[in-house]
């Protein structure tokens, strides 16, 4: 269902692949207090600058499951 939804919003499969694999920082533009709270939860700054793609985030969070 998620793939159908994603493909509905992409003009082509190339565009869909580009969006899903482009690295981004989920904390980009977040307020400083939110960034600090996440940093404290992670236990340091080393994880703060790691950009991830949408596919990496879904796999690491357990949202990506095969049937």
């Amino acid at each position: 269902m998620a793939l159908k939804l994603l493909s509905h919003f992409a003009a082509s499969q190339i565009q869909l692949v580009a969006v899903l694999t482009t690295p981004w920082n989920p904390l980009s533009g977040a307020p400083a207090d939110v960034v600090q709270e996440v940093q404290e939860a992670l236990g340091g700054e080393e994880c703060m600058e790691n950009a991830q793609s949408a596919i990496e985030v879904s796999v690491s969070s357990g949202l990506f499951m095969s049937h």
Side-chain angles (χ1 to χ4, degrees):
M1 181 171 190
L3 289 175
K4 287 182 182 181
L5 182 63
L6 286 172
S7 63
H8 174 75
F9 291 103
S12 70
Q13 288 185 348
I14 296 293
Q15 184 181 15
L16 181 60
V17 169
V19 167
L20 292 175
T21 59
T22 300
W24 56 280
N25 185 338
L27 294 173
S28 180
D33 60 328
V34 172
V35 173
Q36 181 156 359
E37 185 176 336
V38 171
Q39 183 179 6
E40 289 171 5
L42 292 176
E45 287 188 25
E46 61 275 354
C47 296
M48 298 300 292
E49 298 299 321
N50 292 343
Q52 295 181 328
S53 69
I55 290 177
E56 290 172 317
V57 171
S58 66
V59 169
S60 66
S61 66
L63 297 175
F64 187 97
M65 296 187 283
S66 61
H67 297 284

